[in-house]
């Protein structure tokens, strides 16, 4: 079973309570329920967490390296400032999808730059809560394809072993 860690950054605990014209009316709990429902359909184990602290996010990304197959993260405002989160994602070496509810490229100039995009498998921005579901499907397909390849494409070492050569 594929395991995916989903991380929500600072202030996303306020979803549905304020700034509804930008971030919509869905609460974080309702968003997590929608993600969990799709994960069940895809037979993916998801672990969902939110923190307002950069350190928590870094720790959870580090932990994911040995316990999960991929990460979905909305780093919220840390997208535009956190080299620590970028470095943690690069060090974890897991396929990671960056999600934003709003289209960050249509908003203020300071939101156009993402420190995360350069180490992410991809970025989804502007689709609201659906963005997380697109990310889950995309990461599921990516991981299934790469795991399938591992099973069907023998490594050079195993090819040599089969042939009895070195
Ligand atoms: O569009 C996104 O998902 C963002 O990551 C959201 C961040 C923002 O700093 C990024 O530029 C884009 C802000 C999250 C704050 O969420 C709130 C939700 C409800 C009420 C207030 C803030």
């Amino acid at each position: 079973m594929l395991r995916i860690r989903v991380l929500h950054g600072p202030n996303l605990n306020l979803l549905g309570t304020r700034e509804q014209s930008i971030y919509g009316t869905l609460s974080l709990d309702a968003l997590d329920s929608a993600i969990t429902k799709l994960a069940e359909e895809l037979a993916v184990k998801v672990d969902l967490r939110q923190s307002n602290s950069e350190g928590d996010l870094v720790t959870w990304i580090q932990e994911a390296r040995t316990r999960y197959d991929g990460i979905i993260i909305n780093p919220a405002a840390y997208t535009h400032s956190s080299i620590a989160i970028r470095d943690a994602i690069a060090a974890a070496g897991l396929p990671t999808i960056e999600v934003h509810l709003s289209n960050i490229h249509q908003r203020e100039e300071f939101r156009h730059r993402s420190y995360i995009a350069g180490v992410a498998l991809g970025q989804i921005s502007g689709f609201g809560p659906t963005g997380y579901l697109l990310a889950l499907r995309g990461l599921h397909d990516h991981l299934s394809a790469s795991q399938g390849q591992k099973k069907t494409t023998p490594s050079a070492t195993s090819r040599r072993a089969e042939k009895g050569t070195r």
Side-chain angles (χ1 to χ4, degrees):
M1 191 180 219
L2 292 172
R3 299 151 303 169
I4 294 176
R5 180 162 264 184
V6 181
L7 300 175
H8 307 287
N11 295 310
L12 288 165
N13 53 314
L14 301 177
L15 270 184
T17 65
R18 269 164 251 167
E19 303 208 55
Q20 294 184 339
S21 59
I22 305 175
Y23 300 119
T25 53
L26 207 65
S27 67
L28 186 62
D29 277 352
L31 172 58
D32 281 347
S33 298
I35 296 169
T36 303
K37 183 169 170 277
L38 178 61
E40 281 166 10
E41 283 167 34
L42 297 173
V44 171
K45 179 191 159 197
V46 277
D47 173 69
L48 301 127
R49 288 158 188 253
Q50 186 275 332
S51 179
N52 295 326
S53 145
E54 188 178 20
D56 285 345
L57 295 165
V58 167
T59 301
W60 293 337
I61 293 162
Q62 287 183 5
E63 280 175 7
R65 193 175 72 80
T66 51
R67 301 185 200 167
Y68 291 88
D69 301 300
I71 298 172
I72 294 170
I73 183 169
N74 182 346
Y78 288 136
T79 305
H80 320 297
S81 66
S82 180
I83 297 170
I85 292 177
R86 179 198 172 98
D87 285 349
I89 292 170
L94 293 175
T96 297
I97 303 194
E98 175 187 353
V99 175
H100 298 285
L101 294 156
S102 62
N103 182 343
I104 56 172
H105 304 286
Q106 260 180 5
R107 300 183 64 193
E108 303 95 322
E109 192 81 34
F110 68 85
R111 295 188 203 272
H112 297 182
R113 180 179 65 178
S114 166
Y115 280 103
I116 311 306
V119 292
L121 177 63
Q123 183 194 67
I124 296 172
S125 178
F127 287 92
T130 302
Y132 287 87
L133 306 180
L134 295 171
L136 185 54
R137 281 190 192 280
L139 194 49
H140 166 268
D141 289 2
H142 174 85
L143 290 168
S144 304
S146 52
Q147 289 206 344
Q149 235 180 5
K150 267 188 222 153
K151 279 186 197 138
T152 55
T153 313
S155 67
T157 316
S158 58
R159 278 199 305 273
R160 281 196 298 273
E162 269 167 32
K163 281 192 209 158
T165 55
R166 285 175 167 268

